[in-house]
Amino acid sequence: MDTPQMGIAARLAAKMSMAEQHEYLRSKVTRRRVVLGGMATAGTVAASGLLGGVAQAQSPAPSLLTRPATDHHVDGALVAPFGRHLQFGADPKSQFTVSWQVPLAVRRPFVRIGLAPWSLSHRIEAEVRALHTPQLLNSKLPAVDQYYLHVRLDGLRAGTTYYYGVGHEGFDPATTAAFGTIGSFTTAPAHSEPFTFTAFGDQGVSYHALANDSLILAQNPAFHLHAGDICYADPDGSGQQSDSADYDARTWDSFLAQTESVSARVPWMVTTGNHDMEAWYSPNGYGGQEARWTLPGNGHDPKNQPGAYSFVYGNTAVVALDANDVSYEIPANYGITGGKQTAWLDRTLAGYRGRHDIDFLVVFFHHCAYSTTNSHASDGGVQTEWVPIFDKYQVDLVINGHNHVYERTDAIRKGEVSHAVPIGETTRPATDGTVYITAGGAGRSLYSFPAPDTFEGSEHPVDTVTTWHSAKGGAHVVDTVTWSRVRYTGYSFVSIDVQPGRPGRESTLTVSAIAETGERIDHFTVARRTS
Ligand SMILES: [Fe+2]
Ligand SMILES: [Fe+2]
């Protein structure tokens, strides 16, 4: 993995933080043009005049991106937008971001939106985030220029379906020729009502990834959670300097095109895995993410850690975390927030748990609190720094990726099984503990378990599984565990039906794991008394 050209010993490289790798790459790679803070600032749009909402300024764009080598614009009639991906703002009732990509630089990109596809608004100017990736160290891949476009919409009406079209000078979705490109999205309801959401992690670009997307679309989810290791432009994911030799920014293009069938109509809410630390763009490795996504931006430090945020949809609060901050296994960004993300998590869960209009707390992030695979197993950093907080606030469901399988625990408290949750059973986190799901079977090559698969329709339970967790410094500590309730080696995702209850009765999350084949491989219910 090390070469004289890199001029750095592999052992040293393995210990470099993401910031040190970034500095090293920047010092070694000849670049034609780098502009700090060189971004357009349009694209922050209040829909007030258009749709009767309230105007509100948004935070400025991220500060460290590279501008492409040329500002050459093509004839806009020659290119069509692709890779549309929707994201919630901090308030899904009134804030959405429409994002997309164009293959070449275009002039005056914009969105039109409206309450009917034949009645769209004037052009709302988009923010252009151009991203230049040079030929990196030891890489045979060419330099790449990418153009991401974003429009933040504010002041939308709750529970309302909007139609939208994206375009640029020479390509207008309001014209007959491009009318077929118009999409739609629906804002969160003003009051609690039943809905479905879906989740997985570790997708990449593959036949299996596409098959899972198709099944997800059929669930008609209100939103989708992607628990990191999003596209594998960095196929190594070791968090080490040597990753740059294989880094291929163009994988993002393929990924966004693959994802568009869902993400053009379903908010596609991502967080950050180990493969999503990309050293070239910024000291924390998240500069590429800042260009490609516009996440809610309400975490402890959204400018530097966009993958930590939260939102409320109906009676459910969702918290996204950047587990690179606490991972003992892959420590390139370990401790990057100095504990601030963890303090924010505590504050955020406390706030949500204290609200009478919120029943369920769902937390998702990449590295596993509890998994038994032979590849990554459990991360002691997550167990040490976050699990006590999940216990403290009786978190209703934790969803992880990182291990490329489906695995589901019994209810756990203080690291031990506190309540058995066989397939089909109901658990009550207020008294029983928290169930942890690993949903890393979205599309990348699968891992193996040290014990037999056991899932709905093919149950082969064992009393204990011998596995391990990563200790600080990376050592594997052997564990013999009793919490591994469901194991499935196959491509899959989770679909969660949320049913609010009447006051004094129970609200429920009905969690189903669905295989790429369409077969259900697990289901259970999470219940909580409605306040
Ligand atoms: Fe992965
Ligand atoms: Fe991972």
Side-chain angles (χ1 to χ4, degrees), residues 139-173:
S139 174
K140 293 183 171 58
L141 300 168
V144 176
D145 289 317
Q146 293 169 308
Y147 303 90
Y148 299 100
L149 309 165
H150 303 261
V151 175
R152 303 182 207 218
L153 301 166
D154 199 351
L156 303 170
R157 297 177 193 165
T160 301
T161 296
Y162 289 93
Y163 297 85
Y164 73 97
V166 300
H168 48 261
E169 189 176 287
F171 184 98
D172 190 342

PDB file of all heavy atoms in Angstrom, residues 139-173:
ATOM      1  N   SER A 139      -2.732   7.468  -8.514  1.00  0.00           N
ATOM      2  CA  SER A 139      -3.968   7.095  -9.187  1.00  0.00           C
ATOM      3  C   SER A 139      -3.789   7.182 -10.696  1.00  0.00           C
ATOM      4  O   SER A 139      -3.137   8.088 -11.210  1.00  0.00           O
ATOM      5  CB  SER A 139      -5.101   8.032  -8.762  1.00  0.00           C
ATOM      6  OG  SER A 139      -6.261   7.749  -9.514  1.00  0.00           O
ATOM      7  N   LYS A 140      -4.394   6.247 -11.397  1.00  0.00           N
ATOM      8  CA  LYS A 140      -4.393   6.291 -12.860  1.00  0.00           C
ATOM      9  C   LYS A 140      -5.656   6.969 -13.376  1.00  0.00           C
ATOM     10  O   LYS A 140      -5.852   7.098 -14.577  1.00  0.00           O
ATOM     11  CB  LYS A 140      -4.301   4.871 -13.428  1.00  0.00           C
ATOM     12  CG  LYS A 140      -2.964   4.173 -13.137  1.00  0.00           C
ATOM     13  CD  LYS A 140      -2.909   2.797 -13.780  1.00  0.00           C
ATOM     14  CE  LYS A 140      -1.509   2.193 -13.692  1.00  0.00           C
ATOM     15  NZ  LYS A 140      -1.029   2.064 -12.307  1.00  0.00           N
ATOM     16  N   LEU A 141      -6.521   7.379 -12.472  1.00  0.00           N
ATOM     17  CA  LEU A 141      -7.791   7.982 -12.865  1.00  0.00           C
ATOM     18  C   LEU A 141      -7.591   9.458 -13.198  1.00  0.00           C
ATOM     19  O   LEU A 141      -6.749  10.134 -12.597  1.00  0.00           O
ATOM     20  CB  LEU A 141      -8.806   7.822 -11.733  1.00  0.00           C
ATOM     21  CG  LEU A 141      -9.089   6.357 -11.374  1.00  0.00           C
ATOM     22  CD1 LEU A 141      -9.872   6.261 -10.078  1.00  0.00           C
ATOM     23  CD2 LEU A 141      -9.847   5.686 -12.507  1.00  0.00           C
ATOM     24  N   PRO A 142      -8.365   9.971 -14.134  1.00  0.00           N
ATOM     25  CA  PRO A 142      -8.164  11.358 -14.547  1.00  0.00           C
ATOM     26  C   PRO A 142      -8.725  12.354 -13.544  1.00  0.00           C
ATOM     27  O   PRO A 142      -9.482  11.993 -12.645  1.00  0.00           O
ATOM     28  CB  PRO A 142      -8.967  11.419 -15.853  1.00  0.00           C
ATOM     29  CG  PRO A 142     -10.066  10.427 -15.655  1.00  0.00           C
ATOM     30  CD  PRO A 142      -9.447   9.298 -14.863  1.00  0.00           C
ATOM     31  N   ALA A 143      -8.342  13.602 -13.714  1.00  0.00           N
ATOM     32  CA  ALA A 143      -8.972  14.683 -12.954  1.00  0.00           C
ATOM     33  C   ALA A 143     -10.441  14.778 -13.357  1.00  0.00           C
ATOM     34  O   ALA A 143     -10.806  14.459 -14.493  1.00  0.00           O
ATOM     35  CB  ALA A 143      -8.258  15.996 -13.219  1.00  0.00           C
ATOM     36  N   VAL A 144     -11.257  15.222 -12.415  1.00  0.00           N
ATOM     37  CA  VAL A 144     -12.707  15.255 -12.645  1.00  0.00           C
ATOM     38  C   VAL A 144     -13.254  16.599 -12.179  1.00  0.00           C
ATOM     39  O   VAL A 144     -12.892  17.086 -11.104  1.00  0.00           O
ATOM     40  CB  VAL A 144     -13.408  14.118 -11.854  1.00  0.00           C
ATOM     41  CG1 VAL A 144     -14.921  14.207 -12.004  1.00  0.00           C
ATOM     42  CG2 VAL A 144     -12.908  12.764 -12.319  1.00  0.00           C
ATOM     43  N   ASP A 145     -14.140  17.175 -12.992  1.00  0.00           N
ATOM     44  CA  ASP A 145     -14.910  18.343 -12.572  1.00  0.00           C
ATOM     45  C   ASP A 145     -16.370  17.936 -12.446  1.00  0.00           C
ATOM     46  O   ASP A 145     -16.929  17.333 -13.364  1.00  0.00           O
ATOM     47  CB  ASP A 145     -14.781  19.482 -13.594  1.00  0.00           C
ATOM     48  CG  ASP A 145     -13.394  20.096 -13.567  1.00  0.00           C
ATOM     49  OD1 ASP A 145     -12.877  20.316 -12.456  1.00  0.00           O
ATOM     50  OD2 ASP A 145     -12.830  20.325 -14.654  1.00  0.00           O
ATOM     51  N   GLN A 146     -16.961  18.282 -11.319  1.00  0.00           N
ATOM     52  CA  GLN A 146     -18.367  17.939 -11.096  1.00  0.00           C
ATOM     53  C   GLN A 146     -19.138  19.191 -10.689  1.00  0.00           C
ATOM     54  O   GLN A 146     -18.591  20.080 -10.038  1.00  0.00           O
ATOM     55  CB  GLN A 146     -18.480  16.863 -10.005  1.00  0.00           C
ATOM     56  CG  GLN A 146     -17.877  15.530 -10.456  1.00  0.00           C
ATOM     57  CD  GLN A 146     -17.728  14.544  -9.317  1.00  0.00           C
ATOM     58  OE1 GLN A 146     -17.153  14.872  -8.284  1.00  0.00           O
ATOM     59  NE2 GLN A 146     -18.216  13.328  -9.509  1.00  0.00           N
ATOM     60  N   TYR A 147     -20.402  19.220 -11.058  1.00  0.00           N
ATOM     61  CA  TYR A 147     -21.217  20.415 -10.858  1.00  0.00           C
ATOM     62  C   TYR A 147     -22.507  20.020 -10.144  1.00  0.00           C
ATOM     63  O   TYR A 147     -23.371  19.350 -10.730  1.00  0.00           O
ATOM     64  CB  TYR A 147     -21.535  21.070 -12.205  1.00  0.00           C
ATOM     65  CG  TYR A 147     -20.280  21.423 -12.978  1.00  0.00           C
ATOM     66  CD1 TYR A 147     -19.716  20.494 -13.861  1.00  0.00           C
ATOM     67  CD2 TYR A 147     -19.651  22.647 -12.807  1.00  0.00           C
ATOM     68  CE1 TYR A 147     -18.555  20.788 -14.549  1.00  0.00           C
ATOM     69  CE2 TYR A 147     -18.484  22.955 -13.495  1.00  0.00           C
ATOM     70  CZ  TYR A 147     -17.944  22.019 -14.369  1.00  0.00           C
ATOM     71  OH  TYR A 147     -16.793  22.318 -15.054  1.00  0.00           O
ATOM     72  N   TYR A 148     -22.599  20.422  -8.894  1.00  0.00           N
ATOM     73  CA  TYR A 148     -23.778  20.108  -8.080  1.00  0.00           C
ATOM     74  C   TYR A 148     -24.584  21.384  -7.865  1.00  0.00           C
ATOM     75  O   TYR A 148     -24.015  22.455  -7.623  1.00  0.00           O
ATOM     76  CB  TYR A 148     -23.351  19.513  -6.734  1.00  0.00           C
ATOM     77  CG  TYR A 148     -22.581  18.234  -6.906  1.00  0.00           C
ATOM     78  CD1 TYR A 148     -21.186  18.230  -6.834  1.00  0.00           C
ATOM     79  CD2 TYR A 148     -23.232  17.039  -7.192  1.00  0.00           C
ATOM     80  CE1 TYR A 148     -20.470  17.062  -7.023  1.00  0.00           C
ATOM     81  CE2 TYR A 148     -22.527  15.858  -7.374  1.00  0.00           C
ATOM     82  CZ  TYR A 148     -21.138  15.875  -7.294  1.00  0.00           C
ATOM     83  OH  TYR A 148     -20.430  14.723  -7.479  1.00  0.00           O
ATOM     84  N   LEU A 149     -25.879  21.232  -7.922  1.00  0.00           N
ATOM     85  CA  LEU A 149     -26.773  22.381  -7.863  1.00  0.00           C
ATOM     86  C   LEU A 149     -27.784  22.170  -6.733  1.00  0.00           C
ATOM     87  O   LEU A 149     -28.282  21.051  -6.544  1.00  0.00           O
ATOM     88  CB  LEU A 149     -27.491  22.535  -9.203  1.00  0.00           C
ATOM     89  CG  LEU A 149     -26.507  22.519 -10.389  1.00  0.00           C
ATOM     90  CD1 LEU A 149     -27.217  22.308 -11.698  1.00  0.00           C
ATOM     91  CD2 LEU A 149     -25.693  23.797 -10.406  1.00  0.00           C
ATOM     92  N   HIS A 150     -28.062  23.233  -6.009  1.00  0.00           N
ATOM     93  CA  HIS A 150     -28.934  23.117  -4.827  1.00  0.00           C
ATOM     94  C   HIS A 150     -29.857  24.325  -4.732  1.00  0.00           C
ATOM     95  O   HIS A 150     -29.413  25.462  -4.924  1.00  0.00           O
ATOM     96  CB  HIS A 150     -28.097  23.057  -3.547  1.00  0.00           C
ATOM     97  CG  HIS A 150     -27.089  21.945  -3.517  1.00  0.00           C
ATOM     98  ND1 HIS A 150     -27.303  20.745  -2.862  1.00  0.00           N
ATOM     99  CD2 HIS A 150     -25.846  21.842  -4.061  1.00  0.00           C
ATOM    100  CE1 HIS A 150     -26.242  19.959  -2.998  1.00  0.00           C
ATOM    101  NE2 HIS A 150     -25.336  20.601  -3.726  1.00  0.00           N
ATOM    102  N   VAL A 151     -31.094  24.059  -4.377  1.00  0.00           N
ATOM    103  CA  VAL A 151     -32.024  25.138  -4.032  1.00  0.00           C
ATOM    104  C   VAL A 151     -32.708  24.766  -2.726  1.00  0.00           C
ATOM    105  O   VAL A 151     -33.355  23.714  -2.628  1.00  0.00           O
ATOM    106  CB  VAL A 151     -33.096  25.355  -5.113  1.00  0.00           C
ATOM    107  CG1 VAL A 151     -34.107  26.418  -4.647  1.00  0.00           C
ATOM    108  CG2 VAL A 151     -32.462  25.788  -6.429  1.00  0.00           C
ATOM    109  N   ARG A 152     -32.531  25.626  -1.729  1.00  0.00           N
ATOM    110  CA  ARG A 152     -33.217  25.411  -0.448  1.00  0.00           C
ATOM    111  C   ARG A 152     -34.557  26.134  -0.504  1.00  0.00           C
ATOM    112  O   ARG A 152     -34.599  27.339  -0.736  1.00  0.00           O
ATOM    113  CB  ARG A 152     -32.389  25.976   0.696  1.00  0.00           C
ATOM    114  CG  ARG A 152     -31.001  25.409   0.791  1.00  0.00           C
ATOM    115  CD  ARG A 152     -30.305  26.012   1.986  1.00  0.00           C
ATOM    116  NE  ARG A 152     -28.873  26.022   1.800  1.00  0.00           N
ATOM    117  CZ  ARG A 152     -27.997  25.779   2.761  1.00  0.00           C
ATOM    118  NH1 ARG A 152     -28.415  25.517   3.967  1.00  0.00           N
ATOM    119  NH2 ARG A 152     -26.709  25.827   2.518  1.00  0.00           N
ATOM    120  N   LEU A 153     -35.618  25.375  -0.270  1.00  0.00           N
ATOM    121  CA  LEU A 153     -36.966  25.945  -0.278  1.00  0.00           C
ATOM    122  C   LEU A 153     -37.466  26.075   1.150  1.00  0.00           C
ATOM    123  O   LEU A 153     -37.329  25.141   1.943  1.00  0.00           O
ATOM    124  CB  LEU A 153     -37.908  25.054  -1.077  1.00  0.00           C
ATOM    125  CG  LEU A 153     -37.515  24.830  -2.544  1.00  0.00           C
ATOM    126  CD1 LEU A 153     -38.312  23.682  -3.138  1.00  0.00           C
ATOM    127  CD2 LEU A 153     -37.740  26.115  -3.342  1.00  0.00           C
ATOM    128  N   ASP A 154     -38.008  27.220   1.468  1.00  0.00           N
ATOM    129  CA  ASP A 154     -38.514  27.475   2.816  1.00  0.00           C
ATOM    130  C   ASP A 154     -39.935  28.017   2.701  1.00  0.00           C
ATOM    131  O   ASP A 154     -40.359  28.442   1.627  1.00  0.00           O
ATOM    132  CB  ASP A 154     -37.605  28.494   3.519  1.00  0.00           C
ATOM    133  CG  ASP A 154     -37.779  28.463   5.031  1.00  0.00           C
ATOM    134  OD1 ASP A 154     -38.709  27.791   5.519  1.00  0.00           O
ATOM    135  OD2 ASP A 154     -36.981  29.119   5.726  1.00  0.00           O
ATOM    136  N   GLY A 155     -40.656  27.988   3.803  1.00  0.00           N
ATOM    137  CA  GLY A 155     -42.007  28.543   3.802  1.00  0.00           C
ATOM    138  C   GLY A 155     -43.024  27.690   3.073  1.00  0.00           C
ATOM    139  O   GLY A 155     -44.068  28.185   2.649  1.00  0.00           O
ATOM    140  N   LEU A 156     -42.742  26.401   2.927  1.00  0.00           N
ATOM    141  CA  LEU A 156     -43.698  25.503   2.268  1.00  0.00           C
ATOM    142  C   LEU A 156     -44.854  25.179   3.219  1.00  0.00           C
ATOM    143  O   LEU A 156     -44.736  25.327   4.429  1.00  0.00           O
ATOM    144  CB  LEU A 156     -42.979  24.211   1.840  1.00  0.00           C
ATOM    145  CG  LEU A 156     -41.770  24.401   0.910  1.00  0.00           C
ATOM    146  CD1 LEU A 156     -41.011  23.082   0.761  1.00  0.00           C
ATOM    147  CD2 LEU A 156     -42.225  24.908  -0.456  1.00  0.00           C
ATOM    148  N   ARG A 157     -45.939  24.709   2.654  1.00  0.00           N
ATOM    149  CA  ARG A 157     -47.091  24.327   3.470  1.00  0.00           C
ATOM    150  C   ARG A 157     -46.944  22.883   3.938  1.00  0.00           C
ATOM    151  O   ARG A 157     -46.551  22.009   3.160  1.00  0.00           O
ATOM    152  CB  ARG A 157     -48.375  24.433   2.656  1.00  0.00           C
ATOM    153  CG  ARG A 157     -48.709  25.818   2.171  1.00  0.00           C
ATOM    154  CD  ARG A 157     -49.973  25.732   1.314  1.00  0.00           C
ATOM    155  NE  ARG A 157     -50.190  26.953   0.563  1.00  0.00           N
ATOM    156  CZ  ARG A 157     -51.033  27.039  -0.460  1.00  0.00           C
ATOM    157  NH1 ARG A 157     -51.723  25.983  -0.844  1.00  0.00           N
ATOM    158  NH2 ARG A 157     -51.197  28.184  -1.097  1.00  0.00           N
ATOM    159  N   ALA A 158     -47.335  22.623   5.172  1.00  0.00           N
ATOM    160  CA  ALA A 158     -47.278  21.257   5.707  1.00  0.00           C
ATOM    161  C   ALA A 158     -48.241  20.345   4.963  1.00  0.00           C
ATOM    162  O   ALA A 158     -49.298  20.782   4.494  1.00  0.00           O
ATOM    163  CB  ALA A 158     -47.612  21.274   7.192  1.00  0.00           C
ATOM    164  N   GLY A 159     -47.852  19.088   4.866  1.00  0.00           N
ATOM    165  CA  GLY A 159     -48.736  18.073   4.304  1.00  0.00           C
ATOM    166  C   GLY A 159     -49.178  18.359   2.878  1.00  0.00           C
ATOM    167  O   GLY A 159     -50.294  18.011   2.483  1.00  0.00           O
ATOM    168  N   THR A 160     -48.295  18.959   2.096  1.00  0.00           N
ATOM    169  CA  THR A 160     -48.672  19.402   0.751  1.00  0.00           C
ATOM    170  C   THR A 160     -47.732  18.798  -0.287  1.00  0.00           C
ATOM    171  O   THR A 160     -46.520  18.745  -0.073  1.00  0.00           O
ATOM    172  CB  THR A 160     -48.596  20.945   0.672  1.00  0.00           C
ATOM    173  OG1 THR A 160     -49.479  21.488   1.659  1.00  0.00           O
ATOM    174  CG2 THR A 160     -48.983  21.452  -0.707  1.00  0.00           C
ATOM    175  N   THR A 161     -48.289  18.357  -1.394  1.00  0.00           N
ATOM    176  CA  THR A 161     -47.476  17.845  -2.501  1.00  0.00           C
ATOM    177  C   THR A 161     -47.140  18.989  -3.450  1.00  0.00           C
ATOM    178  O   THR A 161     -48.029  19.713  -3.905  1.00  0.00           O
ATOM    179  CB  THR A 161     -48.215  16.731  -3.258  1.00  0.00           C
ATOM    180  OG1 THR A 161     -48.407  15.633  -2.362  1.00  0.00           O
ATOM    181  CG2 THR A 161     -47.409  16.263  -4.470  1.00  0.00           C
ATOM    182  N   TYR A 162     -45.867  19.136  -3.702  1.00  0.00           N
ATOM    183  CA  TYR A 162     -45.364  20.143  -4.648  1.00  0.00           C
ATOM    184  C   TYR A 162     -44.772  19.435  -5.866  1.00  0.00           C
ATOM    185  O   TYR A 162     -44.196  18.347  -5.752  1.00  0.00           O
ATOM    186  CB  TYR A 162     -44.274  21.002  -3.994  1.00  0.00           C
ATOM    187  CG  TYR A 162     -44.810  21.934  -2.944  1.00  0.00           C
ATOM    188  CD1 TYR A 162     -44.844  21.546  -1.604  1.00  0.00           C
ATOM    189  CD2 TYR A 162     -45.277  23.201  -3.275  1.00  0.00           C
ATOM    190  CE1 TYR A 162     -45.348  22.390  -0.627  1.00  0.00           C
ATOM    191  CE2 TYR A 162     -45.774  24.055  -2.304  1.00  0.00           C
ATOM    192  CZ  TYR A 162     -45.805  23.645  -0.985  1.00  0.00           C
ATOM    193  OH  TYR A 162     -46.304  24.490  -0.029  1.00  0.00           O
ATOM    194  N   TYR A 163     -44.894  20.077  -6.982  1.00  0.00           N
ATOM    195  CA  TYR A 163     -44.253  19.609  -8.203  1.00  0.00           C
ATOM    196  C   TYR A 163     -43.076  20.516  -8.507  1.00  0.00           C
ATOM    197  O   TYR A 163     -43.119  21.718  -8.204  1.00  0.00           O
ATOM    198  CB  TYR A 163     -45.264  19.597  -9.358  1.00  0.00           C
ATOM    199  CG  TYR A 163     -46.377  18.622  -9.078  1.00  0.00           C
ATOM    200  CD1 TYR A 163     -47.478  19.009  -8.313  1.00  0.00           C
ATOM    201  CD2 TYR A 163     -46.305  17.310  -9.519  1.00  0.00           C
ATOM    202  CE1 TYR A 163     -48.486  18.103  -8.010  1.00  0.00           C
ATOM    203  CE2 TYR A 163     -47.303  16.402  -9.221  1.00  0.00           C
ATOM    204  CZ  TYR A 163     -48.387  16.797  -8.460  1.00  0.00           C
ATOM    205  OH  TYR A 163     -49.370  15.893  -8.143  1.00  0.00           O
ATOM    206  N   TYR A 164     -42.037  19.953  -9.069  1.00  0.00           N
ATOM    207  CA  TYR A 164     -40.850  20.768  -9.328  1.00  0.00           C
ATOM    208  C   TYR A 164     -40.154  20.282 -10.596  1.00  0.00           C
ATOM    209  O   TYR A 164     -40.253  19.112 -10.985  1.00  0.00           O
ATOM    210  CB  TYR A 164     -39.869  20.727  -8.134  1.00  0.00           C
ATOM    211  CG  TYR A 164     -39.126  19.413  -8.014  1.00  0.00           C
ATOM    212  CD1 TYR A 164     -37.838  19.268  -8.544  1.00  0.00           C
ATOM    213  CD2 TYR A 164     -39.699  18.306  -7.395  1.00  0.00           C
ATOM    214  CE1 TYR A 164     -37.152  18.056  -8.451  1.00  0.00           C
ATOM    215  CE2 TYR A 164     -39.021  17.106  -7.296  1.00  0.00           C
ATOM    216  CZ  TYR A 164     -37.755  16.981  -7.831  1.00  0.00           C
ATOM    217  OH  TYR A 164     -37.082  15.787  -7.744  1.00  0.00           O
ATOM    218  N   GLY A 165     -39.468  21.200 -11.201  1.00  0.00           N
ATOM    219  CA  GLY A 165     -38.639  20.860 -12.349  1.00  0.00           C
ATOM    220  C   GLY A 165     -37.328  21.623 -12.253  1.00  0.00           C
ATOM    221  O   GLY A 165     -37.305  22.772 -11.792  1.00  0.00           O
ATOM    222  N   VAL A 166     -36.246  20.970 -12.627  1.00  0.00           N
ATOM    223  CA  VAL A 166     -34.931  21.628 -12.567  1.00  0.00           C
ATOM    224  C   VAL A 166     -34.432  21.877 -13.994  1.00  0.00           C
ATOM    225  O   VAL A 166     -34.692  21.094 -14.911  1.00  0.00           O
ATOM    226  CB  VAL A 166     -33.918  20.785 -11.768  1.00  0.00           C
ATOM    227  CG1 VAL A 166     -34.407  20.587 -10.339  1.00  0.00           C
ATOM    228  CG2 VAL A 166     -33.676  19.429 -12.408  1.00  0.00           C
ATOM    229  N   GLY A 167     -33.728  22.961 -14.167  1.00  0.00           N
ATOM    230  CA  GLY A 167     -33.247  23.302 -15.497  1.00  0.00           C
ATOM    231  C   GLY A 167     -32.125  24.323 -15.455  1.00  0.00           C
ATOM    232  O   GLY A 167     -31.545  24.593 -14.386  1.00  0.00           O
ATOM    233  N   HIS A 168     -31.817  24.854 -16.603  1.00  0.00           N
ATOM    234  CA  HIS A 168     -30.764  25.852 -16.762  1.00  0.00           C
ATOM    235  C   HIS A 168     -30.986  26.544 -18.107  1.00  0.00           C
ATOM    236  O   HIS A 168     -31.898  26.149 -18.866  1.00  0.00           O
ATOM    237  CB  HIS A 168     -29.374  25.204 -16.701  1.00  0.00           C
ATOM    238  CG  HIS A 168     -29.245  23.990 -17.576  1.00  0.00           C
ATOM    239  ND1 HIS A 168     -29.347  22.709 -17.089  1.00  0.00           N
ATOM    240  CD2 HIS A 168     -29.071  23.852 -18.916  1.00  0.00           C
ATOM    241  CE1 HIS A 168     -29.235  21.837 -18.080  1.00  0.00           C
ATOM    242  NE2 HIS A 168     -29.061  22.511 -19.205  1.00  0.00           N
ATOM    243  N   GLU A 169     -30.175  27.507 -18.373  1.00  0.00           N
ATOM    244  CA  GLU A 169     -30.313  28.225 -19.640  1.00  0.00           C
ATOM    245  C   GLU A 169     -30.209  27.230 -20.799  1.00  0.00           C
ATOM    246  O   GLU A 169     -29.189  26.555 -20.952  1.00  0.00           O
ATOM    247  CB  GLU A 169     -29.214  29.288 -19.744  1.00  0.00           C
ATOM    248  CG  GLU A 169     -29.378  30.228 -20.915  1.00  0.00           C
ATOM    249  CD  GLU A 169     -28.302  31.318 -20.877  1.00  0.00           C
ATOM    250  OE1 GLU A 169     -28.390  32.201 -20.026  1.00  0.00           O
ATOM    251  OE2 GLU A 169     -27.353  31.217 -21.686  1.00  0.00           O
ATOM    252  N   GLY A 170     -31.276  27.108 -21.593  1.00  0.00           N
ATOM    253  CA  GLY A 170     -31.295  26.149 -22.696  1.00  0.00           C
ATOM    254  C   GLY A 170     -32.074  24.882 -22.391  1.00  0.00           C
ATOM    255  O   GLY A 170     -32.306  24.066 -23.286  1.00  0.00           O
ATOM    256  N   PHE A 171     -32.459  24.681 -21.131  1.00  0.00           N
ATOM    257  CA  PHE A 171     -33.224  23.482 -20.743  1.00  0.00           C
ATOM    258  C   PHE A 171     -34.257  23.914 -19.707  1.00  0.00           C
ATOM    259  O   PHE A 171     -33.893  24.278 -18.583  1.00  0.00           O
ATOM    260  CB  PHE A 171     -32.307  22.409 -20.158  1.00  0.00           C
ATOM    261  CG  PHE A 171     -33.021  21.114 -19.838  1.00  0.00           C
ATOM    262  CD1 PHE A 171     -32.991  20.046 -20.723  1.00  0.00           C
ATOM    263  CD2 PHE A 171     -33.737  20.974 -18.647  1.00  0.00           C
ATOM    264  CE1 PHE A 171     -33.664  18.863 -20.433  1.00  0.00           C
ATOM    265  CE2 PHE A 171     -34.408  19.790 -18.353  1.00  0.00           C
ATOM    266  CZ  PHE A 171     -34.365  18.734 -19.246  1.00  0.00           C
ATOM    267  N   ASP A 172     -35.520  23.880 -20.072  1.00  0.00           N
ATOM    268  CA  ASP A 172     -36.556  24.401 -19.175  1.00  0.00           C
ATOM    269  C   ASP A 172     -37.657  23.368 -18.979  1.00  0.00           C
ATOM    270  O   ASP A 172     -38.345  22.992 -19.938  1.00  0.00           O
ATOM    271  CB  ASP A 172     -37.150  25.686 -19.761  1.00  0.00           C
ATOM    272  CG  ASP A 172     -38.050  26.398 -18.759  1.00  0.00           C
ATOM    273  OD1 ASP A 172     -38.478  25.759 -17.771  1.00  0.00           O
ATOM    274  OD2 ASP A 172     -38.306  27.596 -18.965  1.00  0.00           O
ATOM    275  N   PRO A 173     -37.850  22.877 -17.740  1.00  0.00           N
ATOM    276  CA  PRO A 173     -38.875  21.854 -17.503  1.00  0.00           C
ATOM    277  C   PRO A 173     -40.291  22.356 -17.768  1.00  0.00           C
ATOM    278  O   PRO A 173     -41.215  21.537 -17.844  1.00  0.00           O
ATOM    279  CB  PRO A 173     -38.682  21.510 -16.022  1.00  0.00           C
ATOM    280  CG  PRO A 173     -38.030  22.720 -15.434  1.00  0.00           C
ATOM    281  CD  PRO A 173     -37.153  23.268 -16.517  1.00  0.00           C
TER     282      PRO A 173
END
